[in-house]
Every structure is written in C-alpha cells, then in structure tokens.
Amino acid sequence: MRIGAHMSIAGGISKSVDRAVLHNCEALQIFTKNASQWHAAPLAPDEVRAFRLGVEKAELTPVVSHASYLINLATAVPKLRAQSINTFIDELDRADSLGLLGVVIHPGTCTSGTEDEGLHRIAQAIRQALQKRPNLNTMVLLEHTAGQGRTLGYKFEHLATILKELNGSPKIGICLDTCHLLAAGYDIASASGYKKTFSSFKKLIGIDRLRIFHGNDSKKPCGSRVDRHQHIGDGFLGLEPFKRFLTDQDFSHLAMVIETEKTKNWERGKISNPDPLDVRNLNTLKSLRDT
Ligand SMILES: [Zn+2]
Ligand SMILES: [Zn+2]
C-alpha cells in the first residue's frame, strides 16, 4: 500500500507537492481552496501547470482533494442545499482541472427528517452535480464517517443506499478512515473485528469501490461516534490494526493518507524542514508496512 499525507496548499496549490516531496509521500490529499469558505478564486493556470508537473515528477499517486466542510448534501434547507451543490460542483471542477483521482466528501448531516430522507437527498444532490458535469474524469469519493451528531454515512448500509440510488455509478468511489471506522463501532482494533468489518464491507459495497484510506488513530474508543484523530499508535487503535491494513493483499493497490495533527505553526509555511509529527507518523506506517 502506498503511504502519504494531507498537505497544506499555503503559498499556492503547487506548494502542496513540494511538501509531499519533502516528507517522502507516495500519495497526497489537499484542499483545493480554503475549506472553511464557500467561495474561492479560480485556480491560476500557471499554478495548475506547476502542480500537475510536480505530481508527475514526484510520482504521487493517487492525489485526491477533500471537499469543504461547509458542504451539506443532506440538508433540506433550499438555500443551503443550492449553495452546497454549487460549491460541490466547483470542488469537482477544481479537482478535474488538477487531474485528481477524486474529491473526498462527507456524505452529509441530517438536520431534519429521517436518516433515509437524508440519504435520499444526498444521492439526489450527487446526481444533480454529475448531470451538470457529465464529462468529469475525477470521481466522487464518499467518506465513511464517525457518526458524530447527526452525520450520515457511519454505517456501510448508508453508503450502499446512496450507491444503489445512483445505480452504482462508476463515478462514485469510497474512502474509509481508520479512525472513523472504530468510532462508528467497527472494531478494527481486534483481528476478529477487522475480519468481520471487511466481510460486511465486501457484502454491502465491495472492495472494487474502495479508492483510498485515511490513516488516523482515534482519541475516542470503539463506538464513541466521536471524530477525533490521534497520532498513529497513540490512540484506541494502536499499531496492530495499521499493520493489518498495510499488509492486507486486498488493499495492496490502494493508498493510505494521514490526517493527523501537524506541529503548530511549523516553520510558518516555509518548506525547508519536514514537520516532525508528520515524519513520525509516516515513518511509523512505513515501518509497519515494510518490516
Ligand atoms: Zn478522513
Ligand atoms: Zn475524521
């Protein structure tokens, strides 16, 4: 399995590639804009070119983006729904122009009605976005969630329902997050729980839908439904489950990117020395994979 990280785009989108190279990443995740704002200026053509060249030279694969946290495809509020779909389409456009594999997105938060109604609204929103952009190469990567609050997508059944409503569209892939799995109640910390989790995943969704893993340990225990990432090995997962993922033949064609906490204000955006926390987490994963 390939190992990488979420990297900042501070200073320009192509700077994320420089950071990935500095940290010896094999895969990369980025935000293609400020994740806490609805709108962003279009990507500058020279930045897009520099980014694409850099990715190719560094052989980063895959590269994905993570959509803004403001987007809620499950909302029933018309204005928020329109804004969410428009911003989601913009995320897809940006990812497509950068040549990314896909846009990782949390399915949505159910602010009114039943979970089934929320799942239906999510599927319809994705359908609308894909209908407006029929020629995309980039995929929609639905992320399984920890189930905090009223977020949807914490059960494999939720993801299966959305996929079914979209007639199994080949433009939809799945992102699994090791922290979210545990928090949502899938006991991947134990060997038997890991086996059970993936036999369920195979039955409901299928390994061929999986496109990427987020590798994060969890600050909260199994079934807590709280989304708090911890450094690899320091949380309720520990090292053993990461070894299982990284050496599992079913996943050897995939990548795992970390979304663990960075060192605060590390070099204030300069790109000269790697962040010690990222180095530690990446080296931990690599040593589990390679030894
Ligand atoms: Zn994640
Ligand atoms: Zn998370």
Side-chain angles (χ1 to χ4, degrees):
M1 200 190 289
R2 299 173 68 81
I3 292 166
H6 183 104
M7 286 293 171
S8 160
I9 57 164
I13 210 127
S14 66
K15 295 289 188 291
S16 63
V17 178
D18 301 341
R19 292 185 176 95
V21 169
L22 182 67
H23 291 82
N24 295 311
C25 288
E26 300 156 351
L28 171 64
Q29 177 176 277
I30 55 170
F31 294 124
T32 61
K33 62 194 209 33
N34 185 329
S36 53
Q37 284 173 15
W38 287 107
H39 297 288
L43 295 167
D46 56 334
E47 268 297 306
V48 172
R49 217 171 302 123
F51 177 90
R52 281 177 166 264
L53 271 171
V55 164
E56 200 185 313
K57 199 168 149 226
E59 297 180 355
L60 294 167
T61 178
V63 184
V64 298
S65 67
H66 195 298
S68 162
Y69 296 114
L70 297 174
I71 297 172
N72 182 9
L73 301 179
T75 183
V77 180
K79 192 174 166 235
L80 188 58
R81 183 173 174 80
Q83 206 167 15
S84 291
I85 293 172
N86 286 337
T87 299
F88 180 46
I89 291 171
D90 182 52
E91 294 273 7
L92 290 170
D93 286 342
R94 286 168 176 268
D96 210 45
S97 73
L98 292 166
L100 308 190
L101 173 70
V103 177
V104 175
I105 182 157
H106 296 191
T109 302
C110 194
T111 45
S112 64
T114 64
E115 285 192 336
D116 277 336
E117 287 163 352
L119 293 170
H120 174 68
R121 286 195 292 265
I122 293 165
Q124 289 306 313
I126 294 172
R127 184 195 305 275
Q128 265 186 52
L130 292 178
Q131 275 171 352
K132 284 205 173 144
R133 292 292 186 274
N135 299 315
L136 285 179
N137 287 311
T138 204
M139 297 177 79
V140 176
L141 302 176
L142 286 175
E143 181 170 6
H144 172 262
T145 63
Q148 193 162 308
R150 292 210 68 198
T151 56
L152 295 168
Y154 61 90
K155 284 183 187 169
F156 295 157
E157 284 85 351
H158 290 178
L159 304 173
T161 298
I162 296 168
L163 278 164
K164 194 173 166 214
E165 196 167 331
L166 292 165
N167 303 317
S169 165
K171 295 202 171 162
I172 318 288
I174 299 290
C175 166
L176 287 179
D177 183 310
T178 53
C179 166
H180 299 178
L181 283 168
L182 190 79
Y186 292 97
D187 183 20
I188 53 165
S190 74
S192 61
Y194 179 93
K195 225 177 125 191
K196 219 174 113 191
T197 297
F198 285 100
S199 81
S200 164
F201 185 84
K202 281 174 195 171
K203 202 171 79 204
L204 290 164
I205 295 171
I207 298 293
D208 54 340
R209 280 280 169 195
L210 257 179
R211 286 296 180 281
I212 195 158
F213 284 102
H214 286 166
N216 302 303
D217 209 326
S218 178
K219 277 189 183 165
K220 302 288 172 180
C222 183
S224 61
R225 308 255 311 250
V226 176
D227 184 2
R228 291 282 179 282
H229 300 180
Q230 177 61 291
H231 298 292
I232 308 295
D234 290 353
F236 279 89
L237 280 171
L239 296 176
E240 217 186 282
F242 287 102
K243 173 116 194 147
R244 271 194 286 276
F245 278 102
L246 292 163
T247 56
D248 192 324
Q249 282 309 307
D250 279 352
F251 306 142
S252 59
H253 60 298
L254 296 170
M256 178 177 277
V257 292
I258 56 168
E259 297 176 310
T260 43
E261 205 180 335
K262 312 257 185 198
T263 306
K264 228 175 172 201
N265 295 323
W266 179 250
E267 298 207 315
R268 297 182 182 272
K270 275 198 297 178
I271 310 173
S272 44
N273 292 302
D275 178 334
L277 286 174
D278 276 350
V279 169
R280 203 195 96 188
N281 287 313
L282 289 166
N283 284 347
T284 302
L285 290 180
K286 284 182 182 170
S287 72
L288 289 170
R289 177 190 66 183
D290 300 334
T291 55

